Amino acid sequence: PPAVHWTPVIAPGGFIFCRCDAFPEWRGQALIGAMRPTGIVRVAFDGARAREVARYPTPGRIRAIAEREDGTLFVLEDRKGGRLLRLT
């Protein structure tokens, strides 16, 4: 069985394991772009277990999440007029 699941589904987009210095409390957690409902979902792990710890609503569907070497996080919206957003 999956370590974590959503009903209804979040329609996942991008997915990263966060290593960033900008959000040290997120280090080692997963950030998942959600396309429905729109937002970013943060998941923490404890061994083989996982749990959703936060959900951050966004105006657009999140297609991709990326982290630069300097720890900066970027998310890409998937919609007409979609934006590339830098999280600080």
Side-chain angles (χ1 to χ4, degrees):
V4 65
H5 71 282
W6 292 270
T7 303
V9 68
I10 62 170
F15 176 105
I16 65 166
F17 285 102
C18 190
R19 301 168 295 153
C20 65
D21 292 329
F23 302 94
E25 66 277 11
W26 295 4
R27 199 170 291 127
Q29 298 179 355
L31 298 178
I32 305 168
M35 296 195 288
R36 183 175 182 138
T38 62
I40 298 170
V41 177
R42 188 162 50 98
V43 175
F45 297 89
D46 181 19
R49 296 185 208 180
R51 64 185 169 81
E52 179 179 321
V53 292
R55 191 175 290 212
Y56 308 98
T58 60
R61 299 173 356 149
I62 301 301
R63 173 63 66 182
I65 299 178
E67 182 179 351
R68 291 179 47 163
E69 288 181 14
D70 67 1
T72 306
L73 293 173
F74 287 90
V75 296
L76 181 64
E77 291 180 326
D78 177 28
R79 65 181 177 137
K80 184 176 181 176
R83 303 169 293 168
L84 175 63
L85 304 169
R86 184 177 70 143
L87 304 180
T88 58

